[in-house]
Amino acid sequence: MTWSRTLVYATLCTRFLSQANANYIWPDPKIDELEKLLYEQENPFDGPGSLASFVDGCSGPAERALGIGRSFGAEWIRNAYHDMSTADVSAGTGGLDASIVFEMDRLENIGDAFQETLNIFKGNYNNRVSMSDLFALATVMAVGGCSGGKVIVPLKGGRVDAAGPGPSGVPEPQQDLQTHTASFAKQGFDTSEMIALVACGHTVGGVHGVDFPKIVPNPAPTDGAKNDNTVTFDTTTDSFDNIVAKEFIGNVSQNPLAFGQNETTRSDFRIFNADGGDMISQMATSNDFFLDTCNTMFERMINTVPSNVKLVDIKPQENLTGVIRIVDEIINGPGTRIFVHLKSRSGDPMLVAEATTSRGQTGGCSYPNCGPSFTYYTFDPKIPTKHGISSFTVEVADSQTGRNESHDNGGAGFPLQSSITIDGINQMQLNLTAAVLYAESFTDVFLIVPQPSNKSAPISPWTREEISMQSLGKVDGTNYTLYTGVWQSSGPTSAATTHPFDIVAVGSEKTVSSLFNSWDGIPRV
């Protein structure tokens, strides 16, 4: 039996973990998917067009090609702030909870930023990654991309999505300083922090005349082409830097919220002067101070969540899949060899498989300083079908020192669920055959497909659609029994409809499972 990438997946903990994550044991469904999205922005398996590619150069290549003054980087930051900004930290309510997806019809949320951000990220939304975690990830990627890796906002996971709209109250340009100060205080920011957060948010992007004609002139295009008539906040709109502050202090700012045609909507002018100009002057004087301050402010912004939500650190791990993801720092030269030591369920000795790599089998982040770079090694052991693999360890043979270093997942080995293997998918129908090892130990085998309870809503609590699988009989000469089951999509189809599925075999003494199986990874029939 050849173990494919679909059927073998584990994670290897390395020296790159912080002390808080030193005891990380794979798997951890609370963070594994989010960790992959953050640190495997570029990899040889998912093809071009990672999430981070949308903010390449800050505005993103697609938006630059349109030539209408839009910026994905600015949109993602604006989306997160508007979602968070109705928090009441003293009451422990609101914050970054994706309630914005239910609030796009409000005048305080005018513009395409919110729907576009949702559209881009909804393909990665599932019951292991909440939409609010994706909105936090969007902020991290936007700031990292726009700053060229100079600002890396730490990411935590575990946010819980709202089931409906939250209260209104996003700050608006026409409001007075007293109203803004009170609103930011409710969010947990004092006057200096309010100034800093606004400056950090307005170092990229601008005001679109198509959305705010009372702030920015919005003449009709003469050639019939779409034009947002955008006036940017500063002259380096695609660079995350302190120019927005320097130009304000130098009284040469083009910021329409500071020196625009409508005095009523000069909210940045009022906010930047709220402390007599002290904070904005500090931010203008030192770009390092500006970047460090923005890092702190954005981390606080995306970590503002309801008091009953507990966030979990996301740190770069190493992954092993049938393709082994190894941090480049521990690969000491091209002669380094990687060995996978397999352990059988029967206790019989197994061969050691050497993993190999080829040119181009690398991955990592799209912008500097996000995290480590990786090299991918493949291993393809031929396992007799009478065996099942319970776990494995990895040995790294250093080409320079001659030393061998073993990685064993905290002593437990990296678990493999070879008890269940899967085949068969057809359009919007799962028509699966699963091979269950030692099926006589189990009373029931289930196909479980998590689905949004409200498929017409932009996000929804998840429910489990459970199908009992039927035995087709034992495979001759093996310890596997084949089971079949069919799940048919009902209602509108979407990325959420084809959410990764589980197969679970339940017995009186144990339960085994094959979890979070991707539709893309299953052979089509």
Side-chain angles (χ1 to χ4, degrees):
M1 179 179 294
T2 300
W3 295 96
S4 72
R5 180 171 182 260
T6 302
L7 304 178
V8 184
Y9 189 85
T11 299
L12 177 59
C13 180
T14 76
R15 68 190 72 176
F16 289 97
L17 303 184
S18 68
Q19 188 61 40
N21 279 39
N23 296 323
Y24 172 85
I25 301 296
W26 184 86
D28 186 345
K30 295 189 298 296
I31 64 171
D32 287 344
E33 292 302 312
L34 194 58
E35 186 267 357
K36 179 181 178 182
L37 290 173
L38 176 60
Y39 294 114
E40 290 191 71
Q41 296 170 10
E42 297 177 349
N43 65 73
F45 310 109
D46 295 337
S50 71
L51 291 173
S53 70
F54 283 91
V55 290
D56 177 29
C58 194
S59 288
E63 289 288 25
R64 286 196 298 273
L66 292 175
I68 58 175
R70 301 282 294 284
S71 168
F72 279 134
E75 287 187 353
W76 292 2
I77 294 169
R78 182 173 184 238
N79 176 77
Y81 176 70
H82 276 237
D83 187 33
M84 180 283 304
S85 63
T86 56
D88 185 339
V89 294
S90 62
T93 59
L96 196 58
D97 59 5
S99 63
I100 191 73
V101 305
F102 302 104
E103 302 160 359
M104 297 182 194
D105 57 345
R106 297 175 180 174
L107 289 178
E108 64 189 27
N109 294 325
I110 193 171
D112 294 334
F114 315 107
Q115 187 63 55
E116 286 192 347
T117 306
L118 174 63
N119 290 345
I120 290 169
F121 283 87
K122 65 184 179 182
N124 298 98
Y125 167 60
N126 56 59
N127 70 345
R128 287 195 178 187
V129 184
S130 66
M131 187 58 72
S132 44
D133 271 349
L134 290 172
F135 286 169
L137 174 68
T139 303
V140 172
M141 287 182 169
V143 176
C146 294
S147 69
K150 293 178 181 178
V151 182
I152 302 298
V153 180
L155 179 65
K156 294 178 181 286
R159 292 166 190 80
V160 177
D161 291 337
S168 59
V170 178
E172 298 184 77
Q174 74 277 5
Q175 294 170 337
D176 60 24
L177 180 60
Q178 183 179 3
T179 301
H180 280 146
T181 303
S183 178
F184 277 86
K186 194 174 184 180
Q187 301 162 30
F189 303 105
D190 63 22
T191 298
S192 293
E193 292 164 345
M194 170 182 68
I195 296 166
L197 187 56
V198 171
C200 295
H202 289 175
T203 182
V204 293
V207 178
H208 307 297
V210 68
D211 298 323
F212 297 97
K214 293 183 179 180
I215 302 176
V216 170
N218 187 42
T222 57
D223 56 0
K226 184 177 179 182
N227 191 325
D228 277 8
N229 296 314
T230 301
V231 176
T232 58
F233 294 118
D234 66 22
T235 54
T236 59
T237 186
D238 278 339
S239 296
F240 198 99
D241 54 31
N242 71 336
I243 298 300
V244 65
K246 292 182 73 171
E247 291 179 347
F248 179 83
I249 292 300
N251 203 31
V252 293
S253 176
Q254 64 189 40
N255 181 349
L257 296 183
F259 300 104
Q261 62 179 5
N262 188 340
E263 185 174 352
T264 303
T265 56
R266 293 177 185 172
S267 54
D268 281 11
F269 182 88
R270 294 187 288 271
I271 288 172
F272 290 165
N273 285 305
D275 66 347
D278 180 60
M279 174 56 76
I280 198 69
S281 295
Q282 291 184 64
M283 299 182 87
T285 300
S286 168
N287 192 53
D288 288 341
F289 177 80
F290 181 90
L291 298 180
D292 289 344
T293 300
C294 291
N295 197 327
T296 299
M297 297 312 300
F298 280 131
E299 182 179 11
R300 286 183 54 190
M301 180 183 81
I302 64 175
N303 288 349
T304 301
V305 295
S307 58
N308 61 341
V309 174
K310 306 303 178 186
L311 299 180
V312 181
D313 287 332
I314 305 294
K315 299 292 184 181
Q317 320 294 336
E318 276 192 26
N319 278 0
L320 292 101
T321 64
V323 174
I324 306 175
R325 189 189 84 179
I326 296 188
V327 174
D328 283 342
E329 189 171 311
I330 67 172
I331 303 172
N332 195 5
T336 297
R337 302 176 70 185
I338 308 296
F339 299 96
V340 179
H341 297 259
L342 302 167
K343 180 180 179 181
S344 73
R345 295 187 181 278
S346 65
D348 293 339
M350 303 295 294
L351 294 175
V352 177
E354 182 169 1
T356 60
T357 188
S358 60
R359 185 175 181 179
Q361 297 292 291
T362 58
C365 291
S366 300
Y367 46 85
N369 303 319
C370 166
S373 59
F374 305 100
T375 296
Y376 295 86
Y377 290 78
T378 61
F379 67 101
D380 188 22
K382 303 300 188 291
I383 309 299
T385 54
K386 68 178 182 178
H387 293 293
I389 306 303
S390 61
S391 63
F392 64 93
T393 61
V394 174
E395 178 185 358
V396 179
D398 192 305
S399 62
Q400 302 298 319
T401 66
R403 292 179 304 199
N404 290 11
E405 182 177 323
S406 180
H407 301 268
D408 60 6
N409 201 27
F414 300 97
L416 290 181
Q417 269 301 356
S418 63
S419 295
I420 299 177
T421 62
I422 308 167
D423 189 25
I425 179 175
N426 185 10
Q427 296 181 353
M428 297 310 298
Q429 180 184 83
L430 280 175
N431 188 358
L432 294 178
T433 300
V436 180
L437 185 64
Y438 302 125
E440 57 272 15
S441 302
F442 308 105
T443 55
D444 294 288
V445 178
F446 296 100
L447 166 62
I448 300 172
V449 184
Q451 291 288 288
S453 57
N454 182 356
K455 293 181 181 178
S456 63
I459 59 175
S460 170
W462 293 91
T463 186
R464 291 157 47 103
E465 295 187 6
E466 198 170 279
I467 294 92
S468 180
M469 302 185 74
Q470 306 302 312
S471 173
L472 295 177
K474 196 166 186 177
V475 179
D476 290 342
T478 77
N479 292 314
Y480 283 93
T481 298
L482 297 181
Y483 285 78
T484 185
V486 177
W487 175 86
Q488 178 67 53
S489 172
S490 61
T493 61
S494 66
T497 306
T498 55
H499 173 74
F501 59 90
D502 304 333
I503 293 181
V504 179
V506 180
S508 59
E509 295 184 0
K510 66 177 179 178
T511 296
V512 298
S513 56
S514 176
L515 303 178
F516 212 66
N517 299 286
S518 168
W519 287 55
D520 293 336
I522 305 302
R524 293 184 178 271
V525 295

